Amino acid sequence: MIKDFIFEIYKDKRTVFNLQEIALIVREPDFARLKQRIHYYLKSGKLLNIRRGIYAKDNYSAEELACKIYTPGYISLDYVLRKSGMIFQYDEGITIVSYLSRSISIDGYELKYRKIKNDILYNAAGITVNDNGISIASPERAFLDILYLDKEFHFDSTHNLNLQIVLSLLSIYQSDQLSKRVKDLLQNVGYK
């Protein structure tokens, strides 16, 4: 067991952890002892208990939190489209595609989970995972996710999309209706 428990946690790049991740970081196989140590650092204010079984450092990443609560899941939809300049409506919420639909508010962050079919959810094409464990869709994947979930969604701009990537990701959804909608939408904005 590592002597300086909190130092090892703060040395890690991640900012949000579950119990199993902390056990691996500090090499503590005894969960009862691990929970006691975590409780001590919660009381001393060196760790935060964000949600049952989810712990964080001060100034933790909201994106990282969003990916930890309901797994599997990845950040997509409005959040990615706003960041890529495809929609201009401001919303502080983070949208996540997952196995369930739910909206939760934690520590001032609005997290919106949207359910999608497992075949789509488990397909990693167009999704990147960084060192902190944040899974995030590319703009092309987010574009297709939102059209799959919301047939009438309006985009302010689609010029940032890579058409070849959009077309290569279409097969994930196995939907002729989605393929037609995407091709019609892209033709209407000048893509051939």
Side-chain angles (χ1 to χ4, degrees):
M1 175 61 193
I2 293 177
K3 278 187 174 183
D4 201 345
F5 182 93
I6 201 69
F7 176 73
E8 290 302 318
I9 292 171
Y10 270 80
K11 200 167 70 169
D12 198 279
K13 288 181 181 180
R14 295 170 291 184
T15 62
V16 180
F17 309 90
N18 62 34
L19 193 61
Q20 293 80 12
E21 290 168 333
I22 292 176
L24 289 171
I25 292 168
V26 300
R27 296 184 211 111
E28 176 59 77
D30 182 352
F31 271 79
R33 182 169 161 77
L34 179 65
K35 286 180 182 179
Q36 286 177 337
R37 304 233 22 221
I38 289 172
H39 184 70
Y40 170 79
Y41 288 109
L42 291 172
K43 284 183 85 169
S44 67
K46 294 188 175 154
L47 276 179
L48 304 172
N49 189 359
I50 302 297
R51 189 174 167 93
R52 185 178 172 156
I54 308 278
Y55 307 96
K57 301 174 188 177
D58 288 333
N59 300 321
Y60 63 90
S61 161
E63 289 180 345
E64 201 175 332
L65 173 65
C67 291
K68 285 275 192 239
I69 294 178
Y70 298 114
T71 58
Y74 58 91
I75 297 170
S76 185
L77 308 168
D78 309 45
Y79 186 76
V80 171
L81 296 173
R82 269 192 319 275
K83 288 183 99 176
S84 63
M86 294 175 59
I87 59 174
F88 304 141
Q89 297 81 11
Y90 183 74
D91 180 0
E92 289 185 15
I94 299 175
T95 49
I96 306 98
V97 170
S98 187
Y99 62 92
L100 52 72
S101 288
R102 189 158 296 156
S103 287
I104 57 176
S105 189
I106 297 177
D107 206 15
Y109 298 111
E110 190 67 32
L111 308 176
K112 302 170 197 167
Y113 294 84
R114 294 281 309 269
K115 182 177 181 171
I116 204 161
K117 285 188 342 185
N118 284 344
D119 293 345
I120 300 167
L121 178 62
Y122 288 110
N123 191 316
I127 299 170
T128 58
V129 181
N130 72 13
D131 292 344
N132 294 2
I134 298 171
S135 300
I136 192 161
S138 66
E140 292 79 11
R141 174 77 183 246
F143 170 78
L144 291 171
D145 284 345
I146 208 153
L147 283 177
Y148 181 80
L149 294 171
D150 185 354
K151 295 169 181 55
E152 301 300 318
F153 193 83
H154 170 75
F155 299 91
D156 295 314
S157 172
T158 56
H159 291 93
N160 295 341
L161 288 176
N162 181 319
L163 181 58
Q164 283 70 39
I165 294 174
V166 169
L167 296 175
S168 71
L169 292 174
L170 259 175
S171 64
I172 295 169
Y173 301 86
Q174 300 175 2
S175 169
D176 293 336
Q177 288 179 348
L178 177 64
S179 295
K180 182 179 178 351
R181 227 176 11 257
V182 166
K183 289 174 183 167
D184 289 346
L185 177 70
L186 292 175
Q187 282 179 346
N188 287 342
V189 295
Y191 287 108
K192 302 279 187 240

